């Protein structure tokens, strides 16, 4: 019987994950179909309950449900529990297991962005949603000593800091109010800036003005596109990377969790590039323009 794997989000139209996961199932001889489920928050519990039927191998969960889904699964993996966010669900019989493969996706992207340079110890994160939680956990486990989280709604950033209280006890993890002057002051003390907001997703806006971006910054935008932030940062002389590599590696890890097989990375990358060239929007909802598959700056994204 053909098994089903679904992407649950709102919106999920024309997903890039669909293109890469279906191609991977087909290439590895896995009899499964990857489907898109656009479900507003109110329909999330019902959608998650449906996964318990034998038809389903598992699911991906995306914007804006990654945190909300946590109490709806039966067990969390270490990363699911540590982040308080789930982007992949697997099955143990009828029981649902919540994983967070964004963490490994983020760490792969970070390593590539930093390259041969020394791994920084201080970082600024813009955003405090599900994606930001994977980033914070990735930075904590990487040994960062100071991480500052800015969010439009400060209470959400404070909630994030509180969630990581224990695992971040050895370091400084702080929530700060979103004022450009404060962000500018913090940028002067750091080497790494990560955009985990959805600003730049649907419009050509940047979370910060180009003038405050220093020349020697490393900038990662989780959005899978050459955003205004990345263009401004590149113009300022910074090294930049978009969210493609993170998307690829979170997807590869999810594939392995569902199937027990290694993911055909090269094929998945190819399918991502094809879908992107065809103007498809990604699973994460990022608009995809006529941008080279390498994305911005470092060019690292296209080479895996
Ligand atoms: P969430 O819905 O959980 O969080 C959205 C975040 O964006 C919040 O911090 C929110 O702030 C902020 N935000 C949204 N609109 C605005 C605005 N107009 N002004 C200021 N802040 C805003 O989404 P996720 O964390 O799951 O995803 C965030 C982004 O990261 C998305 O663009 C997503 O595509 C990308 N992503 C990419 C991944 C990849 O593999 N490349 C993986 C995960 C995420 P507030 O709390 O104040 O509303």
């Amino acid at each position: 019987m053909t098994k089903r794997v679904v992407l649950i989000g709102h919106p999920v139209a024309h997903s890039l994950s669909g293109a890469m996961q279906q191609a991977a199932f087909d290439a590895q001889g896995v009899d499964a179909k990857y489907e898109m489920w656009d479900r507003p928050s109110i329909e999330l519990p019902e959608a998650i309950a449906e996964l318990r039927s034998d038809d389903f191998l598992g699911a991906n969960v995306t914007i804006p449900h990654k945190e909300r889904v946590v109490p709806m699964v039966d067990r969390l993996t270490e990363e699911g529990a540590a982040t308080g966010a789930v982007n992949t669900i697997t099955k143990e019989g009828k029981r649902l297991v919540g994983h967070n493969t964004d963490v490994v996706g983020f760490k792969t992207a970070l390593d590539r962005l930093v390259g041969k340079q020394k791994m920084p110890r201080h970082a600024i994160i813009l955003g405090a949603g599900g994606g930001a939680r994977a980033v914070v956990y990735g930075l904590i486990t990487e040994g960062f000593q100071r991480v500052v989280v800015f969010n439009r709604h400060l209470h959400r950033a404070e909630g994030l800091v509180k969630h990581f209280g224990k695992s971040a006890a050895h370091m400084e993890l702080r929530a700060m109010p979103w004022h450009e002057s404060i962000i500018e002051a913090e940028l002067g003390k750091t080497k790494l800036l990560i955009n985990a907001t959805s600003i730049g997703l649907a419009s050509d806006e940047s979370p910060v003005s180009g003038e405050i971006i220093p020349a020697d910054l490393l900038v990662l935008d989780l959005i899978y596109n050459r955003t205004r932030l990345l263009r401004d940062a590149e113009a300022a002389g910074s090294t930049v990377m978009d969210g493609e590599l993170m998307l690829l590696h979170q997807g590869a890890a999810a594939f392995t969790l569902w199937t027990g097989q290694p993911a055909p990375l090269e094929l998945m990358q190819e399918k991502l590039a094809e879908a992107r060239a065809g103007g498809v929007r990604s699973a994460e909802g990022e608009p995809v323009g006529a941008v080279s598959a390498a994305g911005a700056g470092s060019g690292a994204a296209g080479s895996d």
Side-chain angles (χ1 to χ4, degrees):
M1 185 186 62
T2 305
K3 292 279 190 181
R4 301 166 72 187
V5 179
V6 293
L7 170 69
I8 306 172
H10 186 61
V12 291
H14 314 303
S15 162
L16 282 183
S17 278
M20 72 172 171
Q21 296 294 3
Q22 191 62 57
F25 289 149
D26 296 345
Q28 305 293 89
V30 178
D31 186 11
K33 192 163 178 306
Y34 195 89
E35 302 169 25
M36 309 295 142
W37 282 6
D38 188 330
R39 298 286 189 273
S41 301
I42 185 126
E43 292 173 21
L44 187 62
E46 202 185 316
I48 298 300
E50 211 177 323
L51 298 177
R52 295 180 191 279
S53 117
D54 289 343
D55 299 2
F56 294 89
L57 210 53
N60 275 142
V61 180
T62 188
I63 185 170
H65 299 321
K66 287 177 182 176
E67 291 158 86
R68 206 166 284 126
V69 80
V70 166
M72 299 176 195
V73 298
D74 303 298
R75 181 169 81 75
L76 291 169
T77 59
E78 186 191 326
E79 267 136 9
T83 54
V86 162
N87 80 324
T88 301
I89 295 175
T90 57
K91 309 271 300 285
E92 284 171 348
K94 290 200 184 312
R95 285 165 55 83
L96 304 178
V97 183
H99 308 251
N100 193 317
T101 67
D102 282 341
V103 176
V104 70
F106 165 69
K107 286 183 102 166
T108 308
L110 177 66
D111 281 347
R112 195 71 68 80
L113 175 65
V114 172
K116 291 195 165 65
Q117 300 180 50
K118 198 166 165 273
M119 182 60 75
R121 291 292 164 230
H122 295 182
I124 292 178
I125 301 171
L126 306 176
R133 282 172 175 249
V135 168
V136 168
Y137 188 61
L139 296 176
I140 291 172
T141 52
E142 190 63 48
F144 274 62
Q145 272 140 32
R146 186 165 193 272
V147 174
V148 181
V149 181
F150 290 94
N151 199 50
R152 172 178 58 178
H153 295 106
L154 178 60
H155 65 86
R156 195 171 182 189
E158 287 169 342
L160 180 153
V161 168
K162 200 166 163 210
H163 174 85
F164 284 102
K166 242 190 204 157
S167 46
H170 61 288
M171 48 144 350
E172 190 185 357
L173 176 63
R174 297 188 62 175
M176 287 196 185
W178 190 297
H179 290 302
E180 192 140 298
S181 58
I182 307 179
I183 296 176
E184 184 175 13
E186 286 299 322
L187 280 174
K189 299 183 213 162
T190 193
K191 183 84 176 90
L192 177 64
L193 171 67
I194 296 154
N195 178 35
T197 73
S198 38
I199 304 172
L201 187 68
S203 63
D204 194 30
E205 284 173 87
S206 174
V208 293
S209 79
E211 292 101 72
I212 68 165
I213 302 176
D216 58 347
L217 210 59
L218 296 167
V219 183
L220 175 64
D221 197 330
L222 265 48
I223 296 174
Y224 178 54
N225 200 9
R226 190 172 151 78
T227 55
R228 175 176 288 268
L229 171 67
L230 294 183
R231 297 197 313 273
D232 286 350
E234 207 174 19
S238 292
T239 306
V240 303
M241 181 184 275
D242 70 22
E244 176 185 326
L245 199 62
M246 178 167 170
L247 188 68
L248 174 67
H249 282 271
Q250 64 76 28
F255 177 90
T256 299
L257 287 168
W258 297 319
T259 65
Q261 297 191 31
L265 256 189
E266 230 170 81
L267 173 74
M268 291 172 87
Q269 154 105 64
E270 235 170 69
K271 292 294 164 187
L272 272 183
E274 264 176 39
R276 194 176 190 186
V280 175
R281 294 166 74 99
S282 94
E284 304 294 340
E286 302 90 336
V288 178
V291 178
S292 80
S298 65
S303 57
D304 207 305

